[in-house]
Amino acid sequence: MEHQLSVYNTLTRKKEVFEPLHSPHVGLYVCGPTVYGDPHLGHARPAITFDILFRYLTHWGYKVRYVRNITDVGHLVNDADAGEDKIARKARLENLEPMEVVQYYLNRYHKAMDALNVLPPSIEPHASGHIIEQIQLVKEILNQGYAYESEGSVYFDVEKYNQQYNYGVLSGRNVEDMLNTTRELEGQEEKRNSVDFALWKKASPEHIMRWPSPWSDGFPGWHLECTAMSRKYLGEQFDIHGGGMDLIFPHHECEIAQSAASTGHEAVRYWMHNNMVTVNGQKMGKSLGNFINLEEFFKGSHPLLTQAYAPMTIRFFILQAHYRSTVDFSNEALQASEKGLDRLLEAYKNIGRLTTTEEGEPYNDAWVEKLEKDCIEAMNDDLNTPIVISHLFEAARVINAALAGNTALSKANADRIKALFDLFLFNLLGIKDEQKDGNASYESFSKAVDMLLQIRMQAKQNKDWATSDNIRNELTALGFEIKDTKDGFEWKLNR
Ligand code: ZN
């Protein structure tokens, strides 16, 4: 396979050329949502980031098995080993079955991901559907001596594990410091060490999500599901594990420990993490009042938003930053993205309206070749989407200059630019023209508008100003923007 994709591996802290373990097969596992609330930007970013990776690897001919899990049990309110289960809590508050909560929010998650044009993964396993596999994994870790039972619960023995392996290998945390500073075991007296984490928790009498096990009626620890399900579907060793940076510790550190403790080796070859999202320069938080969910963005129904933002504006905006940089959402920045994306989509449509020449200078074959090469190189460089987008803007500028008659493009090169947009903007970056794709009859509609404007041009030639003005005024009133050009006209329908 002819690619040279380099990815930043969080584990080795450097960019590495991606080499699959069993080419052409690639195993990709990404931590999915805990489904107890409306989908928000924190869900959109990893989904879009790894959608790009999925699309890019698929483009090169790899057969990617993309597993993205659904956490529907075991994720406790304080993200550690205490507090109520997040889903059970929501179920109690809303007087629903826990699985009703899961289904309700999962449907909404799927709907939002679909709107963002995120491709569905190959397998979407639920933690609650893999309790047997998780119990099996706890047994293996116990057999290897890296876990202990205490009052019906089972905990991972971090101190013992760290004598053989390195707890902190991914996050860079020093386990000695953690052992020394977190000696206090208040409320966690069952643990030998407060850094130990639960593999199995005994359920209290009021806990509703519970399963029988050799140790107690209880439920699995949050970190266990990803180790059990990635192994089940991708094997004991697989290529890429992704997720948000906020999952590096403790979640992914614990996954590594569970794999190594049970099999003697790490499971993952490349760990990839997307950076976080901020809103108006601040971390998103319910208490800060800046927690805007995706539907509110799509409808413009949050007090901090001055307008609605189409799903493609959100997607494009996220891709205008590299996935390892933070993205700060603000009305100004989103509006700039909306305009930018419109400009690209307009330029794409304008390719078909160009009067091409035999030969084009200075935008000749060499120039188009370089543009194509630059786009591939940017994708190969750890999925550098903002650089790809900047090259597409350069192409748009040339298309518009050619349309205005300020430069020339040959037919062959205009076709190559069209192919470049098809591949990079639509196929790899996953942008769709919502105006067009949202309306199956758009093509007929578009032809009808072209026809009206042809009639207007004829009317002008015949000095029939009444008809010409009438068509222009009526279309403008309907929201069309009409521009006369050297060769005829351009139009667009403003949102
Ligand atoms: Zn996970």
Side-chain angles (χ1 to χ4, degrees):
M1 236 141 287
E2 287 274 324
H3 84 88
Q4 287 228 297
L5 170 63
S6 291
V7 295
Y8 182 85
N9 188 349
T10 314
L11 192 64
T12 56
R13 291 163 183 78
K14 58 175 194 253
K15 274 189 212 171
E16 296 174 28
V17 173
F18 174 67
E19 303 276 8
L21 290 162
H22 310 287
S23 187
H25 299 280
V26 172
L28 168 64
Y29 188 95
V30 174
C31 292
T34 304
V35 278
Y36 70 104
D38 283 319
H40 54 76
L41 294 172
H43 293 116
R45 194 159 193 209
I48 290 172
T49 299
F50 293 101
D51 186 49
I52 300 294
L53 179 63
F54 183 34
R55 285 167 184 265
Y56 195 52
L57 290 171
T58 305
H59 165 69
W60 284 111
Y62 290 114
K63 306 207 175 319
V64 186
R65 184 178 294 163
Y66 177 12
V67 182
R68 190 182 64 206
N69 68 301
I70 299 297
T71 297
D72 58 358
V73 63
H75 195 170
L76 302 185
V77 169
N78 75 351
D79 286 347
D81 296 331
E84 209 173 346
D85 183 289
K86 290 189 180 196
I87 286 153
R89 180 171 182 274
K90 191 85 183 174
R92 179 172 60 75
L93 293 175
E94 301 197 359
N95 211 5
L96 295 167
E97 268 295 312
M99 284 304 135
E100 268 183 296
V101 172
V102 168
Q103 194 66 58
Y104 177 79
Y105 288 111
L106 184 56
N107 291 347
R108 292 169 82 81
Y109 175 75
H110 283 154
K111 206 174 145 207
M113 291 308 118
D114 208 37
L116 291 168
N117 206 22
V118 169
L119 298 174
S122 326
I123 306 176
E124 199 174 47
H126 289 225
S128 67
H130 297 75
I131 301 294
I132 292 169
E133 288 83 351
Q134 295 183 73
I135 289 175
Q136 184 57 32
L137 183 56
V138 177
K139 285 183 187 166
E140 286 171 31
I141 298 170
L142 274 168
N143 284 343
Q144 297 297 326
Y146 293 110
Y148 55 90
E149 192 186 339
S150 173
E151 312 277 332
S153 293
V154 181
Y155 293 99
F156 191 92
D157 190 339
V158 170
E159 196 166 19
K160 173 138 188 237
Y161 171 81
N162 196 53
Q163 288 162 7
Q164 187 72 34
Y165 301 96
N166 177 4
Y167 186 78
V169 66
L170 184 70
S171 61
R173 295 199 187 199
N174 183 328
V175 76
E176 307 296 330
D177 293 347
M178 286 188 277
L179 290 170
N180 291 336
T181 55
T182 55
R183 281 279 172 200
E184 268 180 46
L185 284 171
E186 205 179 321
Q188 308 188 57
E189 293 81 359
E190 293 173 1
K191 294 184 186 180
R192 289 182 190 161
N193 243 304
S194 63
V195 285
D196 293 350
F197 57 90
L199 299 174
W200 187 262
K201 284 281 277 183
K202 181 182 175 177
S204 57
E206 65 278 9
H207 196 101
I208 32 183
M209 298 169 86
R210 53 166 70 216
W211 291 264
S213 82
W215 314 287
S216 63
D217 266 16
F219 54 94
W222 170 38
H223 316 304
L224 205 59
E225 61 177 277
C226 291
T227 309
M229 297 191 292
S230 62
R231 184 179 299 176
K232 177 169 171 122
Y233 297 111
L234 300 174
E236 269 189 23
Q237 265 193 314
F238 62 96
D239 298 295
I240 305 170
H241 192 316
M245 273 182 185
D246 54 336
L247 295 177
I248 292 175
F249 191 88
H251 187 55
H252 291 161
E253 195 72 65
C254 294
E255 276 190 47
I256 291 177
Q258 290 166 161
S259 293
S262 55
T263 64
H265 59 79
E266 281 167 18
V268 177
R269 176 77 183 78
Y270 307 89
W271 281 92
M272 291 175 71
H273 293 94
N274 63 274
N275 210 323
M276 298 291 102
V277 163
T278 53
V279 175
N280 296 325
Q282 278 186 308
K283 219 181 138 178
M284 276 198 314
K286 290 237 156 71
S287 56
L288 293 167
N290 68 353
F291 202 91
I292 313 173
N293 68 44
L294 289 169
E295 207 173 286
E296 289 168 328
F297 272 107
F298 302 162
K299 289 183 177 163
S301 62
H302 187 282
L304 286 179
L305 300 176
T306 54
Q307 64 169 86
Y309 297 100
M312 281 307 111
T313 304
I314 304 285
R315 182 173 179 112
F316 188 68
F317 180 60
I318 286 176
L319 294 175
Q320 280 186 293
H322 187 256
Y323 76 90
R324 286 192 292 115
S325 316
T326 52
V327 168
D328 186 44
F329 278 73
S330 66
N331 285 294
E332 297 70 29
L334 282 167
Q335 281 155 13
S337 268
E338 188 181 71
K339 281 207 185 80
L341 180 55
D342 274 352
R343 202 155 79 235
L344 289 183
L345 294 173
E346 269 307 300
Y348 180 76
K349 282 182 210 153
N350 287 342
I351 297 173
R353 299 181 182 138
L354 287 179
T355 313
T356 50
T357 53
E358 291 258 309
E359 279 171 59
E361 290 296 340
Y363 302 106
N364 51 22
D365 296 359
W367 174 78
V368 184
E369 246 155 61
K370 182 167 185 317
L371 199 65
E372 290 164 346
K373 203 168 139 265
D374 286 348
C375 286
I376 290 282
E377 270 174 15
M379 284 299 283
N380 281 342
D381 183 17
D382 196 22
L383 308 173
N384 204 334
T385 55
I387 300 293
V388 174
I389 290 170
S390 72
H391 293 311
L392 294 177
F393 275 127
E394 160 79 357
R397 192 181 59 74
V398 172
I399 294 162
N400 291 336
L403 188 75
N406 297 332
T407 191
L409 272 177
S410 71
K411 172 85 175 79
N413 286 337
D415 287 347
R416 280 172 80 172
I417 296 177
K418 185 167 184 295
L420 189 83
F421 271 68
D422 284 333
L423 175 60
F424 285 93
L425 187 63
F426 300 115
N427 185 349
L428 296 176
L429 300 187
I431 293 297
K432 56 182 181 182
D433 188 339
E434 288 169 313
Q435 222 172 51
K436 191 171 141 195
D437 298 342
N439 182 353
S441 57
Y442 180 83
E443 211 173 314
S444 319
F445 159 81
S446 176
K447 280 185 181 151
V449 178
D450 280 347
M451 196 170 73
L452 267 173
L453 289 170
Q454 294 282 4
I455 294 172
R456 176 172 166 263
M457 253 172 57
Q458 271 165 15
K460 271 170 67 179
Q461 275 159 16
N462 301 336
K463 301 198 176 352
D464 176 3
W465 307 117
T467 304
S468 139
D469 287 351
N470 193 18
I471 292 174
R472 178 182 198 107
N473 295 343
E474 291 291 330
L475 285 175
T476 307
L478 289 170
F480 289 89
E481 197 178 305
I482 297 150
K483 213 161 89 189
D484 292 312
T485 63
K486 192 168 65 86
D487 307 310
F489 52 81
E490 273 175 44
W491 62 268
K492 66 177 184 182
L493 182 58
N494 287 322
R495 286 185 189 138

